[in-house]
Amino acid sequence: MKLINAPIMRIFHLNINAPNRMAFVNEGKHNMMTSIKNEPGTLFMLAGHDDKLGESNYVIECYQDEEHYQIHANSPQFKHYGQVAKKIITGTEMINLKPELVKTSTTIFRVFEDQDINATLTKIKVRKETNFDKLTNSNTEIILAGQDKKNTGEGWVLGLSPSSIAELNLADKAEILDQIKLKVDILVDQGSLSYERSNNND
């Protein structure tokens, strides 16, 4: 699917306590699997963690537009997830992104706790000359990138590739402010997504 208008893209950092991890992951799996199956405008969802206990969790989401996001937000599976998550989550940070780039392969992903995928979430310095399209490479199965709407001098790039291939390395393409290596808990998408921001998409 080639996206003409900018999608909705968000990053969530969610903290939980380790004893609640299984309930959190299972509820997230049900929410994401049901949503990707029933909602064509729910384009991409990933949940992963960057620590040994699974207490530091990241969720990255992409929706076709506000109308399709509202369909998801009002779905029974999301409402149930919200009720469970409210009891489990101890801290939340949300980053709204101005989408710059979405590229996914023809593979339609339905992945759970996969150790064979490199998933790297990188925060970069955004300059006037920053070209997000140059941040990808031919080995990357999925890339989502956008500018932080609140901190406009910062951007985020999510790159996923098979573990047999070197992970997305932006060191020679952008100034890296932070880099988070995620262990994938859940990954679902609609496949064959593409979007590039032009001046007309502002």
Side-chain angles (χ1 to χ4, degrees), residues 12-18 20 24 50-51 54-58 85-93:
F12 294 88
H13 185 201
L14 307 174
N15 293 310
I16 64 172
N17 292 320
N20 296 321
F24 177 75
D50 67 338
D51 65 327
E55 295 183 325
S56 172
N57 296 269
Y58 288 83
K86 184 167 59 176
K87 300 174 183 178
I88 292 176
I89 293 171
T90 60
T92 303
E93 178 187 6

Side-chain angles (χ1 to χ4, degrees), residues 1-2 104-108 189-194:
M1 177 191 298
K2 184 173 183 179
T104 73
S105 70
T106 55
T107 302
I108 296 176
D189 83 326
Q190 301 291 3
S192 301
L193 303 172
S194 68

Side-chain angles (χ1 to χ4, degrees), residues 181-200:
K181 294 185 179 181
L182 297 175
K183 294 181 180 177
V184 175
D185 295 315
I186 309 159
L187 166 61
V188 296
D189 83 326
Q190 301 291 3
S192 301
L193 303 172
S194 68
Y195 171 80
E196 287 185 52
R197 187 176 73 85
S198 67
N199 293 331
N200 295 328

